[in-house]
Amino acid sequence: TGAAVAVRSGGGRGMSEVMYQYDGTLDGFLCCVYESYVYKEIPAAFCCDEDPLSLFEVRTVITQPAYSQRVSRGIASRSPKALAVVRRSFLTCLPDKELHIYAFIRKLLAEGAGFMRDLSDPICYPLYKAIRHINGEVEKLRGFVRFSDRNGVLGAEIEPKNRVLPLLRGHFCQRCHDETFFLYDRTHREALFYADGHSAIVSLEEFVMAPPDEAEKRYRRLWRCFYDTIAIRERENPKLRMSHMPKRFWPLLTELQSDPDAIPPSPSPCAAFA
């Protein structure tokens, strides 16, 4: 794959016939980087599955904060910007992101940060492109999230391509600092919770939003009425709207539902296997 080629070009003795299995966290991945230097090997793949199916030997890497911090310090000593690239690109939906990030780290540690100035560098380009994508998605979601009142608690759902909750956390906690709210990510099955000045992101394998009560339905109808009232029909431009508001965001936007009371429900966790 392209990612494997990137790893080879990042230095080292070539690909090893080993897959690194880790817990899916950034700290866990950085521990994989640490162990690859300890064992003097370049992994052929990374996985987070508990029971991976692989033709490679599988090496299970235990997350140890001391090792991940050591790698973080090594990256930051070459370039603080490089550490920011690693952290943000790890949240993206880039295919084989671990291989791309690993190749980036190896080249950084071997050559220094000079190559990062070349936006077309084959090691940097996939990561920079993925970061632009997640940054754009975060910016849109800051404006497209629609909260509903649930007995005094604000709740909303999103379906992002990237893992955006860590990047949305500061924005919504600051904006809704006097509220109690949650924001559920359907794609990655995790939720941001906030109350009394404290926030947390937790995994939720099964979650179904409760149906709106009559008060919430009235608020939705009022919002839809406001949206329709301020619209200038003579200046409607569907293509321009889709460029600023991609259609994949529409199902969870109250103002774009034919029936504002009927926001599509959370899918069953088993829906993907149906």
Side-chain angles (χ1 to χ4, degrees):
T1 66
V5 172
V7 172
R8 291 190 183 97
S9 64
R13 301 187 306 174
M15 300 291 285
S16 299
E17 299 299 310
V18 61
M19 170 187 284
Y20 278 16
Q21 179 189 35
Y22 73 110
D23 63 2
T25 66
L26 177 58
D27 281 340
F29 170 71
L30 294 178
C31 287
C32 291
V33 176
Y34 177 85
E35 292 212 3
S36 75
Y37 280 86
V38 170
Y39 288 102
K40 296 181 172 59
E41 61 190 11
I42 299 179
F46 296 83
C47 77
C48 306
D49 301 328
E50 293 184 0
D51 188 18
L53 296 176
S54 174
L55 297 177
F56 302 117
E57 174 191 352
V58 177
R59 186 190 305 285
T60 300
V61 177
I62 305 300
T63 300
Q64 300 187 57
Y67 293 164
S68 64
Q69 291 169 12
R70 184 171 175 178
V71 176
S72 293
R73 288 195 297 268
I75 295 171
S77 67
R78 269 69 168 185
S79 168
K81 179 183 176 182
L83 183 58
V85 168
V86 170
R87 287 174 172 169
R88 183 149 299 200
S89 58
F90 190 78
L91 298 174
T92 68
C93 59
L94 175 67
D96 296 320
K97 65 183 179 183
E98 293 95 343
L99 285 173
H100 287 287
I101 299 171
Y102 181 79
F104 175 83
I105 293 174
R106 285 195 68 91
K107 188 167 185 178
L108 175 76
L109 298 180
E111 302 178 11
F115 73 100
M116 293 177 59
R117 293 191 291 270
D118 181 4
L119 301 183
S120 64
D121 183 277
I123 300 295
C124 293
Y125 178 75
L127 298 182
Y128 289 171
K129 182 179 179 181
I131 289 172
R132 286 196 300 272
H133 183 266
I134 190 174
N135 287 346
E137 188 169 52
V138 167
E139 186 62 30
K140 287 181 171 63
L141 285 169
R142 285 174 179 167
F144 293 163
V145 172
R146 299 290 182 261
F147 285 98
S148 297
D149 185 270
R150 310 282 174 171
N151 297 320
V153 177
L154 299 181
E157 296 182 277
I158 55 177
E159 289 184 317
K161 293 182 178 180
N162 302 282
R163 187 170 174 258
V164 296
L165 287 186
L167 304 181
L168 292 173
R169 184 178 195 163
H171 171 78
F172 284 110
C173 290
Q174 182 178 13
R175 185 176 182 182
C176 307
H177 63 92
D178 56 348
E179 302 283 355
T180 298
F181 72 84
F182 67 87
L183 180 59
Y184 179 63
D185 178 347
R186 292 180 173 182
T187 308
H188 303 91
R189 296 179 185 173
E190 60 182 9
L192 165 64
F193 291 96
Y194 175 86
D196 299 325
H198 301 283
S199 64
I201 296 175
V202 300
S203 297
L204 286 179
E205 285 297 322
E206 297 187 30
F207 175 82
V208 178
M209 184 82 83
D213 58 20
E214 290 304 317
E216 173 60 26
K217 290 180 180 180
R218 286 196 296 272
Y219 281 124
R220 291 185 182 184
R221 286 193 288 267
L222 283 171
W223 176 248
R224 178 60 186 266
C225 181
F226 169 77
Y227 179 83
D228 291 340
T229 300
I230 65 173
I232 303 174
R233 299 300 177 188
E234 294 76 13
R235 300 186 64 181
E236 282 190 358
N237 188 335
K239 290 185 177 180
L240 180 62
R241 181 170 69 174
M242 281 189 287
S243 68
H244 292 288
M245 185 186 291
K247 293 190 74 172
R248 67 186 178 90
F249 294 100
W250 292 13
L252 296 176
L253 289 174
T254 307
E255 61 269 28
L256 295 183
Q257 306 304 310
S258 56
D259 179 6
D261 298 344
I263 300 296
S266 304
S268 165
C270 300
F273 303 99

